[in-house]
């Protein structure tokens, strides 16, 4: 049994009740990384706990893969993939481009997903067949766009500093070819791609919970989402999402070079 949109929205509402009151309040931040900076807040932890409680009550037979509270039942057919605040750095900086990511996998493949941005009041939802937007300007089905070629593309990445070794050189080749590149909006970039506002997102070092909700959002809007080898991206790592197959292939060929 698959959940409906109302249940996904219920999960998003539960997370919103924990995250939004803490946004722009100067809350305490804990660094999860011994060397470097990987922040987590009480908002992350409380939001994921709220989501997990509702899932466990409604779908006790489902597994859960979450960022903050560990994993349960990863050998099950249906697994929820949760990132309560994707873009915690943005969250603690007061920038409203973070989001709550809630995805559902069926036998290892991401099939449904939601990205919720509580401050702007926007939700992007993949229902298993199509992708949808709901926000201050109404509700509608969304589609990626085909900009024709890489030279016409608008591209995002969270930060060029995420690329290490030769990966930064591969990324820079593409950055030099696109029409416009921008940095720093985390999961919001993928939502803009699904809605046809931008054309390409390239990132690395991602975890399964960073992409689980976003894969169906892109694919069901007509886009392409893979790893840098052209395979399924559910495991995260080095990923590329594009609005069209042609732009995806052009960029993928350069990443492989």
């Amino acid at each position: 049994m698959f959940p409906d949109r109302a249940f996904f929205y219920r999960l998003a509402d539960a997370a919103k009740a924990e995250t939004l009151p803490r946004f722009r309040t100067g809350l305490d931040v804990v660094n999860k990384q011994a060397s470097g900076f990987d922040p987590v807040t009480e908002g992350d932890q409380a939001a994921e706990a709220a989501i997990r409680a509702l899932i466990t009550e409604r779908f006790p037979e489902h597994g859960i893969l979450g960022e903050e509270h560990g994993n349960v039942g990863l050998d099950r057919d249906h697994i929820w993939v949760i990132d309560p605040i994707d873009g915690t750095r943005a969250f603690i900086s007061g920038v409203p481009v973070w989001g709550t990511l809630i995805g559902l996998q069926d036998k290892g493949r991401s099939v449904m997903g939601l990205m919720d941005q509580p401050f702007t009041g926007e939700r992007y939802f993949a229902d298993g067949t199509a992708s949808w937007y709901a926000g201050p300007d109404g509700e509608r089905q969304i589609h990626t766009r085909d900009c024709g070629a890489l030279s016409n593309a608008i591209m995002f990445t969270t930060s060029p500093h995420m690329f290490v070794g030769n990966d930064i050189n591969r990324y820079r080749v593409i950055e030099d070819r696109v029409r416009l590149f921008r940095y720093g909006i985390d999961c919001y970039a993928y939502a803009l791609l699904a809605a046809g506002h931008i054309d390409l997102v390239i990132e690395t070092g991602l975890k399964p919970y960073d992409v689980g909700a976003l894969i169906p959002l892109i694919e069901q809007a007509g886009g392409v989402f893979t790893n840098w080898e052209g395979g399924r991206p559910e495991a995260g790592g080095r990923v590329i999402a594009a609005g069209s197959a042609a732009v995806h292939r052009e960029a993928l060929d350069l990443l492989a070079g």
Side-chain angles (χ1 to χ4, degrees):
M1 177 182 177
F2 286 94
D4 57 13
R5 182 184 312 206
F7 184 70
F8 269 89
Y9 277 24
R10 186 181 172 200
L11 297 178
D13 287 340
K16 176 180 177 179
E18 301 294 347
T19 59
L20 193 54
R22 294 176 167 96
F23 185 51
R24 296 181 175 174
T25 61
L27 75 174
D28 291 335
V29 178
V30 175
N31 184 14
K32 296 190 291 185
Q33 197 172 69
S35 113
F37 185 57
D38 186 12
V40 63
T41 71
E42 63 179 20
D44 295 81
Q45 296 167 336
E48 184 172 319
I51 293 169
R52 293 169 77 109
L54 291 173
I55 292 172
T56 301
E57 177 186 9
R58 176 77 176 272
F59 297 102
E61 72 280 10
H62 288 188
I64 299 176
L65 189 162
E67 180 177 12
E68 304 301 338
H69 296 292
N71 304 320
V72 176
L74 297 189
D75 58 342
R76 300 173 187 174
D77 285 348
H78 298 107
I79 299 172
W80 293 84
V81 185
I82 305 165
D83 191 345
I85 300 178
D86 181 86
T88 303
R89 290 173 176 81
F91 184 84
I92 65 177
S93 303
V95 184
V97 295
W98 52 277
T100 294
L101 301 181
I102 306 168
L104 182 67
Q105 292 183 356
D106 178 28
K107 298 181 177 66
R109 192 181 184 101
S110 297
V111 293
M112 300 181 74
L114 179 141
M115 193 288 275
D116 182 55
Q117 211 312 302
F119 189 79
T120 63
E122 295 175 289
R123 285 180 177 170
Y124 297 80
F125 177 62
D127 64 9
T129 302
S131 294
W132 303 86
Y133 165 84
D137 53 344
E139 182 173 343
R140 59 187 177 272
Q141 187 176 354
I142 54 175
H143 305 275
T144 60
R145 69 183 183 189
D146 183 357
C147 67
L150 193 61
S151 58
N152 297 323
I154 299 174
M155 179 179 71
F156 273 85
T157 193
T158 295
S159 170
H161 295 105
M162 65 170 39
F163 300 102
V164 297
N166 192 44
D167 286 355
I168 184 59
N169 298 323
R170 296 177 182 181
Y171 168 77
R172 291 293 190 195
V173 168
I174 298 175
E175 188 175 84
D176 288 343
R177 304 261 184 119
V178 298
R179 172 174 290 180
L180 173 67
F181 60 85
R182 303 291 293 169
Y183 302 145
I185 63 169
D186 301 292
C187 60
Y188 200 78
Y190 296 87
L192 293 177
L193 177 62
H197 301 302
I198 70 169
D199 308 289
L200 192 63
V201 182
I202 298 177
E203 299 197 293
T204 189
L206 301 190
K207 304 297 184 183
Y209 46 74
D210 294 319
V211 296
L214 300 172
I215 295 166
L217 186 66
I218 299 296
E219 292 181 338
Q220 292 166 31
V224 183
F225 200 144
T226 71
N227 58 30
W228 285 21
E229 290 69 47
R232 294 298 306 173
E234 274 81 1
R238 304 185 302 177
V239 303
I240 172 173
S244 70
V247 169
H248 176 267
R249 173 48 56 191
E250 193 176 351
L252 197 65
D253 287 345
L254 293 172
L255 288 174

